[in-house]
Amino acid sequence: MAAVTLCLPPAAAAAGSTAGSVPGSGGLAPVAADLRVPGRRTLPRAIIATARRAPKVAAVLRRNPRAYAQAYLRDRARWQVSWFVRAGRREREIAQVILSDRSGKVLEAWTGIQVRWTMARGYEGAFGRQAGAVYVWLPLLALFLLPFLRRPWRMLHLDLLVLASFSVSLAFFSHGDIGASVPLAYPPLVYLLVRLLALARGYSGRGPPVPLRLLVGRDFLLIAIVFLLGFRIALQIVASNVIDVGYAGVIGADHITHATALYGHFPPDNARGDTYGPLNYLAYVPFELVWPWHGTWDDLPSAHAATAVFDLLCVGLLYAVGRRLRGNLLGLLLVYLWLTFPFTLFAANSGANDALLGALVLGAVALAGRPALRGAAAAAAALTKLAPFALLPLLAGSRRAALGAVAVLALSLGLVAGLDGGLGELWQRTVGFQADRDSPFSVWGLYDLGLAQRLVQLAAAGLAVAVAVSRQRRDPLALAALSAAVLIAVQLGAAHWFYLYIVWFAPVAFVALLGIYEPSYGRRTGSMASALPAVEQRTSTALIHGSSSAVP
């Protein structure tokens, strides 16, 4: 159920090298050691000798004395030297060095996981460009927490700090230290899973909402929202990129508009881009019609436009849900949280499609009173990426909801069958690929914990069924909390995990975490000032222990 592995765009990885590829066999030209290449200053043999002296490489070669070297023309100004060892009939690259032709100096040296996975190297700006810069990230985090920096302290403050703590893991990832980044992503996921399940169990829908005094007022939120929207769009225009997931959407849309097979026929620079559901590619069709694909991984304006619309769709839905729950101020607060949470900008500035999934799941929750539409939205989310299939028992459990889901499934699969002449390629390229893949970007792949992963996946499946058969009241807040919890449980067992996946559950998590509160601002007056701490304390206790009797 994990999503496809992410790839570096051409701007960040020469020769279109993607995550998981071996560049030496990915289109680079090998060069004989004694061949003098026109326009090059240095002989390949001298380049190999220089690369061999890199400390990382020297250490690896001492452990692998039979490894052999091969030089490649990386581009017009650089060389690449790779060392390989033979394992039966296969060759495995164990070290890779990038050198400058002009100076002969080592520019990069990689061993271990970072040889195969360029995504693990911490290339600056490979994901999100300037969105990941410290001078953008830290101010956004400060704004994210600012409205809530007012006593009394409560569980909500811890929730927001946990959401912000994913930044620690990302910081290690950005420096190429996945040995630290990968395990650090799991404690906040586990906390949020437990917290959301407690909220879903404890929320009864009875009694008044809990007062929430904000540090800032409505005018501040409005001004901040307008500024952040403008900043977001401007950053996408001048300093963003499109990673492989956005590129895949454009390719698939082109296949649909030209009535060609959707699965099994993607170009070499994104060969595994057909691992998504058909509705992912269908969502890109309007944008690809306006800005057609030119057959290469260029600026891809259609992908940028699609990402911006998916992002704005989340903004609109969050406002609508919040306004319906508690009024205009909660709607503005939810939008503000989305725009200041740095990971949503990280996804938008990467040209990714993850906000589409978040919007579809939130849309299904918002349609709690319209079962057929709720089931249709849930099925649409599942046919965008595979993980939301775990939500179908919860969101499409009634007869009318199931009919809506079946209708969307039938139309989508009919489209694939018509284009591809059957559904075999769809299964093989999506579920089949995910079942057999490996990735060091989860604890299961990094530490080879296959059995433990299977147990976690079984637990996630059990949770999806358990919340679906529960007789608990299905109000929007409970649905939001349970939907976010199930998505997190699926991610905990995924073979591949990445920070963009936070956007899948962020919208419904925001609704679940803040939906019990009645936000306000200004000075407290009367008896409310003295009663507020006790009210919040009793409510938090009720939510944690699953009792509604303490809620006034």
Side-chain angles (χ1 to χ4, degrees), residues 247-248 251-252 255 264-273 293 295-297 429:
Y247 182 30
I251 297 170
H255 285 205
H265 302 279
F266 269 46
D269 61 355
N270 200 355
R272 296 303 325 193
W293 179 46
T296 61
W297 199 335
R429 304 293 291 185

Side-chain angles (χ1 to χ4, degrees), residues 2-8 18-21 116-119 127 243-245 248 270 272-273 275-276 385 433-434 437-441 495-498 500-501:
V4 67
T5 185
L6 299 170
C7 303
L8 292 177
T18 61
S21 69
R116 181 184 175 196
W117 298 89
T118 57
M119 180 177 164
F127 298 94
I243 60 174
D244 71 323
V245 293
N270 200 355
R272 296 303 325 193
T275 193
Y276 301 109
K385 296 197 175 185
F433 168 70
Q434 299 295 348
R437 71 177 304 179
D438 66 329
S439 167
F441 300 102
H496 177 85
W497 188 87
F498 195 61
L500 301 178
Y501 301 174

Side-chain angles (χ1 to χ4, degrees), residues 49-94:
T50 301
R52 186 184 297 274
R53 292 192 292 271
K56 283 185 178 181
V57 176
V60 168
L61 294 182
R62 282 195 294 270
R63 297 193 298 269
N64 297 273
R66 296 186 178 182
Y68 66 94
Q70 176 63 64
Y72 299 91
L73 301 176
R74 181 82 177 188
D75 52 36
R76 294 182 178 180
R78 296 183 300 168
W79 291 89
Q80 174 180 309
V81 179
S82 295
W83 274 267
F84 299 89
V85 293
R86 289 188 174 89
R89 296 182 178 181
R90 302 183 63 182
E91 295 179 338
R92 180 170 61 90
E93 188 178 12
I94 61 171

